[in-house]
Amino acid sequence: MDLNKGNMKKIRGLILFTAVVCLAVMNAEVLLKGIFFLIGIVRPFLYGAAIAFVLNIPMKAIEKGLFSRTKNRKLDKIKRPASVFLSFMLVILIIFIVTVTVIPQITKTMIELGNEIPQFLTEAQIWLEEMFAAQPQLVAALEEFEPAEVNWESIVNTVIDFMQNGLGSVVSSTVTVASTIIGGVVNVFVALVFSFYILAQKEKLGGQFKRILHAYFPQKVYDRTLEIVSLAGKNFSSFITGQCTEAVILGLMFVVSMTLFGFPYAVMIGVLIAFTALIPIVGAFIGCFVGAFLIMVDDPVKAIWFLILFIVLQQIEGNLIYPHVVGNSVGLPSIWVLAAVTVGGSLMGVVGMLIFIPILSTVYALIREDVNAKNGRKGKV
């Protein structure tokens, strides 16, 4: 009898699950709209959680390095707020250094380029005049060309139509852009405040998560969930650390090599490439494009040699440094690092490149553990 009750309970659960899946499939469009609506509401908090996760890495290092040996109660009370503040200041300092190093040079180059454009146009005009003088038949053909009469009535009607219809669209677009900018600023502010609260009370929030999980799930599920969350957190932290280390190495390689070969803007381009290299594999190409443009304005021949130098250093970094530094930091073989970047970039762009490596590393570790357990042996796959 108990067995029959148990079977009936499972059957009812299966029927209910099937009905929910069928309803979800039949109303997929409405379901997706609802999901995107909810994501839009919680997006600032997701950003705040991501910021808190990243800043937690330097915050732990600051707490361990500056406050680990203190026995003063007053210092013990302020160590967390001080560590959070110093972590934020560290990120702001890095952004400030990159901005001060890169932006003025780009602005200067743009001004120089703007000053050179009139001279280029003058030379182009002289060249065209000489070409036309050498081709009298082209001049004769142009003289025979009769431009069409200007239809002033059509122009006036177009202006009136724009004033009646198009002006409203312009105002509407302006309001939309302004509201988007204001909304973006508010979201950033909310994300920063939320990340501050997460960092300040991370132990309390972690304890609450554990209690909720333990209250509603069996002990086996509780233990396994904590194990997976711990592994994923470790992999994400190791990936961020490895990515920053790789970016610094690549930036130093460019600074040293460009200085040795006499390239201009060595420090500025090295800092820019190090900053953009935080995007896995392809980020350095952004810095390469800007660097090549700046050098081209100064000396086009050196710009070509810079591209050759970039290709060489990029091959060294992409095939030797990156897979080993980042791959070893997350415990993922080099081939899977490249696969994660490729798949993540195809599915989700830059964000996919950043998150797919630690995700694949976590999945790889779980599969390796399961395979080893089933094979009754220990060690690596």
Side-chain angles (χ1 to χ4, degrees), residues 254-268:
F254 271 93
V255 171
V256 173
S257 59
M258 290 180 67
T259 302
L260 291 176
F261 290 109
F263 286 97
Y265 317 126
V267 176
M268 188 274 293

Side-chain angles (χ1 to χ4, degrees), residues 4-36:
N4 292 333
K5 288 183 178 180
N7 290 336
M8 290 299 297
K9 186 176 181 180
K10 292 181 180 178
I11 292 173
R12 285 197 298 268
L14 183 60
I15 293 174
L16 179 61
F17 176 76
T18 304
V20 171
V21 172
C22 291
L23 288 174
V25 173
M26 294 171 61
N27 300 276
E29 185 177 354
V30 177
L31 182 63
L32 288 176
K33 288 183 179 179
I35 292 174
F36 287 128

Side-chain angles (χ1 to χ4, degrees), residues 73-282:
R73 292 185 176 180
K74 292 183 178 179
L75 290 178
D76 191 61
K77 290 181 179 179
I78 67 169
K79 72 175 184 179
R80 176 56 56 84
S83 300
V84 174
F85 175 77
L86 291 175
S87 300
F88 274 99
M89 288 299 101
L90 178 62
V91 174
I92 293 174
L93 178 63
I94 293 173
I95 296 175
F96 176 77
I97 291 174
V98 173
T99 303
V100 170
T101 306
V102 175
I103 299 300
Q105 190 58 59
I106 294 178
T107 304
K108 180 182 176 182
T109 303
M110 291 298 181
I111 294 174
E112 293 177 356
L113 187 62
N115 294 332
E116 292 177 1
I117 287 178
Q119 181 180 357
F120 170 78
L121 293 177
T122 302
E123 295 176 354
Q125 182 180 359
I126 295 173
W127 178 77
L128 288 173
E129 290 175 354
E130 293 176 351
M131 184 185 69
F132 283 125
Q135 300 292 333
Q137 63 274 17
L138 183 60
V139 177
L142 291 175
E143 290 177 351
E144 294 177 358
F145 175 74
E146 295 182 359
E149 294 183 359
V150 178
N151 190 344
W152 293 105
E153 183 179 356
S154 175
I155 294 176
V156 172
N157 291 333
T158 302
V159 172
I160 294 174
D161 182 67
F162 171 77
M163 296 296 292
Q164 291 177 344
N165 302 317
L167 191 59
S169 300
V170 171
V171 174
S172 177
S173 300
T174 304
V175 172
T176 302
V177 171
S179 61
T180 301
I181 294 174
I182 295 173
V185 172
V186 172
N187 288 340
V188 170
F189 178 76
V190 172
L192 291 175
V193 173
F194 187 63
S195 66
F196 178 83
Y197 279 108
I198 291 177
L199 291 173
Q201 303 180 9
K202 64 174 185 176
E203 290 83 5
K204 183 178 180 180
L205 294 173
Q208 292 174 347
F209 170 75
K210 290 180 181 179
R211 289 197 298 271
I212 294 173
L213 191 66
H214 191 270
Y216 291 101
F217 294 93
Q219 185 66 35
K220 186 177 180 180
V221 175
Y222 170 81
D223 294 336
R224 187 59 174 170
T225 302
L226 292 184
E227 181 182 348
I228 294 175
V229 170
S230 176
L231 178 62
K234 179 181 177 182
N235 285 335
F236 271 88
S237 299
S238 299
F239 169 71
I240 294 172
T241 304
Q243 192 68 33
C244 293
T245 303
E246 182 268 343
V248 172
I249 292 174
L250 183 61
L252 289 175
M253 288 172 59
F254 271 93
V255 171
V256 173
S257 59
M258 290 180 67
T259 302
L260 291 176
F261 290 109
F263 286 97
Y265 317 126
V267 176
M268 188 274 293
I269 293 176
V271 171
L272 179 63
I273 289 179
F275 186 75
T276 56
L278 294 174
I279 303 173
I281 302 296
V282 300

